[in-house]
Every structure is written in C-alpha cells, then in structure tokens.
Amino acid sequence: MADPKTILVLGAHGVTGQEVVKQAVARGHHLRAAEMKWPDDAPPAGHNVERATANVIEDDLGPVVDGVDAVISALGVPGDPATLLDPPPLYTTGTTKLIDAMNARGVTRLVTISASFVVTHDRGPLLFRTTAIPALTRVLHQMGEMEEMLRASSLDWTAVRPGWLLPEPLTGDYVVVPDVIPEDLIRPRHADLAHFMLHCVESGEWIRQTPAIARQEAEDLSSSFEVVREMLA
C-alpha cells in the first residue's frame, strides 16, 4: 500500500473520475473531488472525500489546488454532436489555468487523460476510423495543444493516452506501452485507466511521458458497430 496522499481529482463525477475517487479511497488516499457543478442527485461524498466546485475554464484554480500532493485530471467533454463540433476549451484554457495554479501553489505532479488518437488515426475497425475519429477532430486537436503546453511546463506531468474507453469493471490486466496503443488493441476500460493513473501518482513512473493503455477485449466489445454505437448514443 502506497503512502497516503491528498489528491485533487478534476472531473470527479465523470465515469473515469468516479473510478479514480473510489479506487483511491480504497487505497487510503484523501480525495478532493472537484466538478464544475455537482448534480443535485449526486450521492454523498463518502469517507475521506472532500467535495469541491471548480470551473477550470473560468475560475482561479489556486484554492482547489492548494495543499494537495498531486492532481489527476479526468476531465472530458460530452459526446453529443453539437459539443464535439464546438467543444469547450477544457484542454487548452483549462490546462493553462491549471498549470498556473499548480506553479503558484507549489504542486508539481499532474496525471491527465489525453488519447492515442492525438498521434494516430490508424487504430480500430475501419468504420470507427471513418466515423468516430472525424467527429472527434476538434477535441483531439485540443488534446494535442494540451500536451504541448505540458511539455513547455516545469510540471512532473503524465498524459495517459487510452484508446476508446469502455464502461466495464476493473481488471488490473491491461497493456501499457509508450505513446500509442498497439494496432490490435483499441479498448481500455475506464476503471483500468483510473487504476493506471493512480499507479502513476503513487509510483512516480512515466513522468513527462505519454503512456498508452489498452486491453484485449471480447470481439463484440471491439467491433465497429459497438464503438460507433457508443459514440452516437
């Protein structure tokens, strides 16, 4: 068991963010769980979880960063067509504000979500590459800008590059390679991504690198129909 840390989780109510919070608490860490706006029906914060509100595009992030050992950003944009055509600047303006706040408060460790598709579109079934990838162009461009901002910073950052995320239970059985997911593996799980991001915080591995994460899944979960259906749902 790693030494307990205080970890800020941005996007804590999203699918990956909830997994980060749940797994981190189980491992003895203290969590500051932040969202732009917590829904009225959100469950209680639970043991060792401090709930916070932070708009990464508009707010001064200094107060929410203050006193933490590390930041895990599980921020993401909704997958509806209107948002994908004109995504909010979570990965650009948000990253600028986060870097500034971390520098000002003396916090150096950041683990964030990027995507393998930032650097290659030659992954996954043909239908996925010709429908899903074009729809994500503006988001992926933002993620690429985010990575450049991180490289220019002095932070101890890790930008994890998953493939197409799958909402299935934690396995802990996944593949991590530098930069790009293997050609035959498109699907990591949100829960496994959260597991690996926590590992990066606890171990200090993959600093200033872009590890890619994926897993061998059942054929029906990696098919063209399934991944495109999820994007359009």
Side-chain angles (χ1 to χ4, degrees), residues 1-232:
M1 184 71 69
D3 292 337
K5 298 181 183 294
T6 298
I7 303 171
L8 168 63
V9 181
L10 298 172
H13 194 60
V15 180
T16 302
Q18 290 186 60
E19 282 289 341
V20 171
V21 172
K22 178 176 70 174
Q23 293 181 35
V25 167
R27 294 183 65 79
H29 300 298
H30 175 82
L31 277 295
R32 185 173 296 161
E35 266 293 343
M36 287 190 176
K37 182 179 179 181
W38 286 94
D40 294 337
D41 60 352
H47 173 69
N48 235 13
V49 178
E50 168 196 358
R51 191 166 284 171
T53 301
N55 185 323
V56 299
I57 298 172
E58 299 177 1
D59 293 349
D60 172 12
L61 300 180
V64 78
V65 167
D66 192 41
V68 304
D69 299 307
V71 178
I72 292 179
S73 177
L75 292 170
V77 299
D80 60 280
T83 303
L84 294 178
L85 281 172
D86 187 22
L90 287 178
Y91 303 106
T92 50
T93 301
T95 296
T96 298
K97 294 178 75 69
L98 181 58
I99 290 171
D100 289 346
M102 291 178 69
N103 285 336
R105 302 298 171 121
V107 180
T108 60
R109 188 66 172 120
L110 170 64
V111 180
T112 190
I113 300 174
S114 184
S116 276
F117 308 115
V118 168
V119 291
T120 182
H121 298 169
D122 188 23
R123 293 292 186 273
L126 179 61
L127 181 58
F128 173 78
R129 285 182 270 145
T130 56
T131 55
I133 293 296
L136 295 169
T137 296
R138 293 174 191 243
V139 174
L140 295 173
H141 182 73
Q142 272 200 39
M143 286 179 166
E145 289 188 66
M146 173 191 72
E147 290 188 2
E148 290 304 312
M149 292 176 189
L150 294 175
R151 290 186 184 96
S153 78
S154 60
L155 297 181
D156 294 331
W157 57 269
T158 304
V160 184
R161 290 175 170 174
W164 191 261
L165 288 161
L166 178 66
E168 293 290 331
L170 173 68
T171 70
D173 176 25
Y174 48 82
V175 174
V176 179
V177 295
D179 302 325
V180 183
I181 55 175
E183 290 188 16
D184 58 338
L185 301 180
I186 186 176
R187 305 228 70 172
R189 301 182 176 206
H190 288 275
D192 285 334
L193 172 60
H195 184 270
F196 177 65
M197 294 175 83
L198 277 169
H199 169 76
C200 289
V201 166
E202 292 174 346
S203 68
E205 294 178 4
W206 295 96
I207 288 177
R208 301 187 69 84
Q209 296 182 69
T210 52
I213 177 173
R215 183 176 187 275
Q216 184 69 54
E217 294 286 352
E219 180 63 29
D220 62 324
L221 296 177
S222 300
S223 68
S224 302
F225 171 78
E226 188 64 25
V227 293
V228 174
R229 183 189 63 78
E230 287 176 22
M231 184 192 73
L232 299 176

